[in-house]
Amino acid sequence: MMVRVRGSTLSVSASALLACLPVALAFSPSFPYGTEKVRGVSLGGWLVLESWITPSLFDDAGNTGIVDEWTFGALQDGSTAQQALIAHWDSWITEADFAAIAAANLNHVRVPIGYWAWEVGPGEPYIQGQLAYLRKAVDWASAYGLKLIIDLHGVPGSQNGFDNSGHRISQPQWQSNQTNIHRTNSILKRIASEFGPQYQTVAAITPINEASSPNTLELIHDAFEPLDHWNGWQQPPKYQGVAMDTHIYHMFSNTRASWTRSQHISYACGQGGNLQNFNDQLFTIVGEWTPAVTDCATYLNGRGVGARYDGTHVGSLRVGSCAGLTGSGASFSPSYKTFLRQSWEAQVTAYEKASGWIMWTWKTERADEWSYQAGLRYGWIPANSTARQFPGICG
Ligand SMILES: *[C@@H]1O[C@H](CO)[C@@H](O)[C@H](O)[C@H]1NC(C)=O
Ligand SMILES: *[C@@H]1O[C@H](CO)[C@@H](O)[C@H](O)[C@H]1NC(C)=O
């Protein structure tokens, strides 16, 4: 998570990471991309904190200046922060989650993790320990027959300035700083060398999540270009094992926030054609999306930042009250739950015209409209990911 409009990053197979350097390597994926659809979910808010996914971790820390993982380490006692993180890593995702994900007929899990799991530079307040959990996740994925995508969600200097990169800052420093780019490359090589041999489970690596502007690094590009910008770029056979990862959200602009429910469904269905065309050239996976259509979830736009939907975000135009649209699914009306089901089905229908989808996110503390687990519990996501209640929703 997450781009405010929409973005693209590249997914590269672990075994083929080096194929993005000038020498192309042979590559044989452990999942039949192109013939079977990717159906998956991200484990958001686990190894990279996001205040809207686990608001309690932030509220319990007290200091309202704690807005991301950087300030989580910087603005409280180090051992208090470390103990809170360890308790969180131990409990937020466990083997039981992998069992439930597999039982829902999903085939991929995507695990966001920050560069600081591998390397903390001088003056960086990050706390380490995540890597052991990533290794456990690979074992659990393997045990339940799931493919795992390692998603480098935060890079040195921050690639987008959002809390989800680890460091919420107004001027991201990754793109403009060669040291940061070199550090990122060397961390990617470490990831590839440790996890590449486990390609049967670690099917892909997303080198940089949602970078905010163009750059020259060979592995990634602008997050805000339309898909057709990429036509002809890094196509097989020259670059084997590269896929496009596009992120589609419906709420991060005043215009989108004001769409009616039927406009959301039409927009979702309308993505199918583009995605299918692009997928003909390069496997395209919608690597982040959600059935939610508002930005009402507390702290979604950052701790202390309001929502466009109810007009509490600076510069937004109120659409309506957020009451009943976020929180526990137990409080959602039957018509809202039906709409979430339609939103979910319209999107997966469109995204399966390309190579498939990975929903953001598996669980949240109190924003159930974003939670796959809550969707299963309250019925707006089918127990089996291939089942449909509205098979004709996209006409
Ligand atoms: C899901 O449904 C499909 C199609 O009906 C079926 O082949 C598959 O076995 C089901 N998977 C699970 C985990 O129930
Ligand atoms: C580039 O980033 C590094 C940290 O990776 C930092 O030490 C250095 O001061 C930055 N350089 C500039 C010119 O900002």
Side-chain angles (χ1 to χ4, degrees), residues 102-105 384-387:
N105 195 26
N384 182 334
S385 67
T386 57

Side-chain angles (χ1 to χ4, degrees), residues 115 119 121-122 124 156-157 173 176-181 183:
Y115 78 90
E119 178 193 294
E124 296 175 351
Q173 299 294 316
S176 59
N177 181 325
Q178 205 53 43
T179 307
N180 287 335
I181 292 176
R183 288 176 72 191

Side-chain angles (χ1 to χ4, degrees), residues 129-143:
Q130 306 82 345
L131 188 51
Y133 294 85
L134 178 62
R135 292 180 179 132
K136 275 196 214 196
V138 172
D139 290 344
W140 290 333
S142 167

